[in-house]
Amino acid sequence: MKKSIILLSMIFGLFAMYACSEDDAATDNDDDNDETTGDVVATPTLAFDEFNASAVTVSFDGDEITIVSNALPNHTSPYWSANDDLYIDPIVADEESISPGNITEASYTLTVPTEPELASTSTETGLGAIGISVTGVPIYNQSEGPTDVTEGTASGFDWSGGHSGPTGYHYHVEARDVGETSPLTIDDDELLGIMSDGFLIYGRKCNSIGDYPIDGDASNGHYATTQHSTEEFYHYHIVNEIYLNTYYLLFGVDLQGTQNAIM
Ligand SMILES: [Zn+2]
Ligand SMILES: [Zn+2]
């Protein structure tokens, strides 16, 4: 009698073990794809090939990546000085609203972890550089000095979404298709740059679906593959909402990781 109970419980135990391992195997993929687990994944190094090599130097040092930019973009603009090869007369910018100051060499340095992590709470961005774009030009949020960008200020943006300020030339909004050769994303899935928390930001579309993502979090970030990685990793997209009737703000949301200084 006792023997058969032991045998029965052994068989049951084996069955339970088998059932468990089956279950684990079946849910393994789901775990990897879970958007709420906060998986820590290394930023795909292939993405850094997209940066303007004449402005941006990227160095990899163990668990850190350092991005140094001279902020000189590889595209035309009326903000270049008139004798520069890349100078053009304004296409979309209202001449009256062109802000003072030309594109000049600057120095921005950002060091981020190779495996950036989502923070327990998101953080607002401040005035100044909050990311570095593929052209080397810093990414700004909606702040323009003590206030937000107004329609008047925005009408001075060049076709690439940039203008000059006391701290130099910077972008606020997505570039516009005016027939100029653009190294910047325009309503597509191209890389825009890297934010100060180390997460990459792409255009309004995601390469993983070939369309505007609909599974973005409060910062329009999500875990998905991109053209730079077959492994899903967390990245942002430009929010697909019209700003000031005409534009797409590059980043008017919170950072979901930990901010690093851009100096
Ligand atoms: Zn500005
Ligand atoms: Zn995506």
Side-chain angles (χ1 to χ4, degrees), residues 206-208 213 222 224-226 235 237:
C206 188
N207 183 269
S208 65
H222 68 166
T225 62
T226 71
H235 56 268
H237 287 277

Side-chain angles (χ1 to χ4, degrees), residues 125-200:
T125 59
L127 185 64
I130 60 170
I132 295 177
S133 71
V134 290
T135 66
V137 169
I139 297 168
Y140 276 40
N141 64 14
Q142 71 285 354
S143 302
E144 184 69 15
T147 60
D148 282 358
V149 168
T150 60
E151 280 187 59
T153 308
S155 64
F157 293 163
D158 62 14
W159 66 265
S160 62
H163 73 162
S164 282
T167 50
Y169 182 75
H170 54 267
Y171 301 137
H172 288 280
V173 298
E174 187 182 294
R176 290 157 76 180
D177 187 3
V178 290
E180 290 293 291
T181 303
S182 178
L184 290 158
T185 173
I186 301 176
D187 192 20
D188 58 26
D189 63 7
E190 294 297 316
L191 184 71
L192 169 66
I194 186 165
M195 301 307 298
S196 69
D197 59 3
F199 291 120
L200 299 176

Side-chain angles (χ1 to χ4, degrees), residues 211-232:
D211 206 343
Y212 309 111
I214 50 166
D215 61 344
D217 61 18
S219 299
N220 207 23
H222 68 166
Y223 281 91
T225 62
T226 71
Q227 59 272 45
H228 302 120
S229 176
T230 53
E231 184 179 11
E232 296 195 338

